[in-house]
Amino acid sequence: MTKYGFIGTGNMAKAMIQGLLKSGVQATDILVSSPRSASKLADTWGVLALSPQALIDESNVVVLAFLPNQLTRITNELHFDQQLIISVLAGISLSELQEATHSTEIVRTLPNVNVAINQGLIAFASGQLMAPNAQLFGQFTEKLGESTDLSEDQFTIFSAIAGSGPAFVFKYIKALSQAGINNGLSEEVATNIATKTVLGSAMMLASSDATAQELEDKVASPGGSTRAGLDDLDAENFDDAVKHAIKATMQHKHL
Ligand SMILES: NC(=O)c1ccc[n+]([C@@H]2O[C@H](COP(=O)([O-])OP(=O)(O)OC[C@H]3O[C@@H](n4cnc5c(N)ncnc54)[C@H](OP(=O)(O)O)[C@@H]3O)[C@@H](O)[C@H]2O)c1
């Protein structure tokens, strides 16, 4: 049985672990290591807490999920054999990862939080992996959602759209929902309507051959109320506001 080890058990590791558990991986096949929260996670989720080296020795897949600036301090004391290593460390290049781990069986990834419900998007870049590890990586990402092979210079834009994007979508849902509340709906009803509208529209686009623009035009008949709303969004420079937000996200430096 494949054993999945996580070094670092913060927000991203927890999201991935939730996704693995939901996909049917047994809690006892998930190993965790971190100075403070790993043992709590073992108590609550039934995963196993180990020292980092014991975790590496026991795992087929080791996920590096601590903060990017901790890389060399943590890996200096560790020895990797030929396990598959998956890094989620934002801003750390494949060559930096290979140097720090003394391994080429490593994949640089950037997952988004939707991995927690098996609907994640995972960008990845790797060198030539051994065949069993390439297979393991495919199985790992399939459990969590969808993966996309990108060049490393595309990670920043991927991060802005897919990594930060969920927050932008939540903000949009909140604004839609608030408009409902302002017009007499209860918070619960308004939030449900806004959430399901975004969810259904995204599913409609994902399952259609039409472009987003074509579907937009289908909903908005000329001279109709939706067209009036879209014209207002254009007048308020909605597209520019989104582009500016993406630019600000891309220009922000990682700590
Ligand atoms: N959050 C996201 O949406 C997201 C998206 C893409 C990529 N990432 C990447 O994911 C990584 C983790 O981010 P996060 O948001 O999950 O951060 P976080 O919630 O702050 O978690 C950091 C984790 O690192 C652990 N840690 C600290 N020192 C350690 C050590 N010496 N050995 C092992 N673990 C140690 C902490 O352990 P304790 O809990 O025991 O203190 C904590 O569990 C980062 O590299 C980030 O770039 C995050």
Side-chain angles (χ1 to χ4, degrees):
M1 201 52 75
T2 306
K3 300 271 186 200
Y4 301 92
F6 287 80
I7 305 182
T9 49
N11 293 316
M12 182 42 74
K14 281 195 248 177
M16 295 176 107
I17 293 170
Q18 276 176 301
L20 290 178
L21 292 172
K22 280 207 179 82
S23 78
V25 172
Q26 296 298 310
T28 46
D29 290 326
I30 298 177
L31 316 176
V32 291
S33 183
S34 82
R36 286 163 291 273
S37 55
S39 56
K40 271 187 239 152
L41 212 57
D43 290 343
T44 50
W45 290 1
V47 297
L48 305 178
L50 294 176
S51 73
Q53 190 60 56
L55 175 146
I56 291 168
D57 296 342
E58 297 268 323
S59 300
N60 308 94
V61 178
V62 177
V63 182
L64 306 182
F66 39 79
L67 296 180
N69 62 14
Q70 297 176 302
L71 176 65
T72 45
R73 191 162 57 77
I74 293 177
T75 53
N76 267 346
E77 295 172 8
L78 300 174
H79 172 72
F80 294 91
D81 200 3
Q82 291 193 325
Q83 304 88 346
L84 172 65
I85 311 171
I86 298 175
S87 164
V88 302
L89 278 51
I92 307 285
S93 71
L94 191 57
S95 63
E96 288 170 308
L97 291 166
Q98 288 172 337
E99 195 178 326
T101 57
H102 303 289
S103 173
T104 52
E105 294 304 309
I106 187 158
V107 188
R108 175 184 178 186
T109 72
L110 198 51
N112 72 5
V113 289
N114 297 338
V115 290
I117 55 159
N118 315 99
Q119 296 291 328
L121 269 183
I122 304 171
F124 71 94
S126 71
Q128 189 70 39
L129 298 174
M130 295 188 308
N133 278 339
Q135 208 181 345
L136 264 181
F137 182 68
Q139 289 163 356
F140 179 79
T141 54
E142 267 171 31
K143 290 182 195 303
L144 299 179
E146 203 177 297
S147 63
T148 175
D149 188 354
L150 292 184
S151 66
E152 290 195 82
D153 59 6
Q154 294 171 321
F155 269 51
T156 312
I157 180 61
F158 176 86
S159 174
I161 298 176
S164 307
F168 304 148
V169 174
F170 297 141
K171 192 170 181 60
Y172 177 65
I173 291 174
K174 195 176 70 172
L176 273 186
S177 160
Q178 189 58 51
I181 294 167
N182 293 349
N183 285 279
L185 295 177
S186 71
E187 185 174 348
E188 191 186 356
V189 169
T191 305
N192 186 48
I193 292 172
T195 306
K196 298 288 165 56
T197 300
V198 171
L199 179 65
S201 308
M203 285 169 73
M204 166 81 92
L205 179 59
S207 64
S208 162
D209 290 334
T211 63
Q213 181 66 59
E214 285 163 351
L215 291 182
E216 180 185 313
D217 292 341
K218 252 190 186 174
V219 182
S221 35
S225 56
T226 307
R227 177 53 57 203
L230 287 169
D231 288 347
D232 196 66
L233 281 176
D234 286 343
E236 297 287 339
N237 295 320
F238 178 76
D239 291 7
D240 283 345
V242 173
K243 278 184 221 151
H244 276 113
I246 295 293
K247 194 171 167 195
T249 307
M250 290 176 73
Q251 286 174 343
H252 187 76
K253 297 276 171 257
H254 292 288
L255 297 177

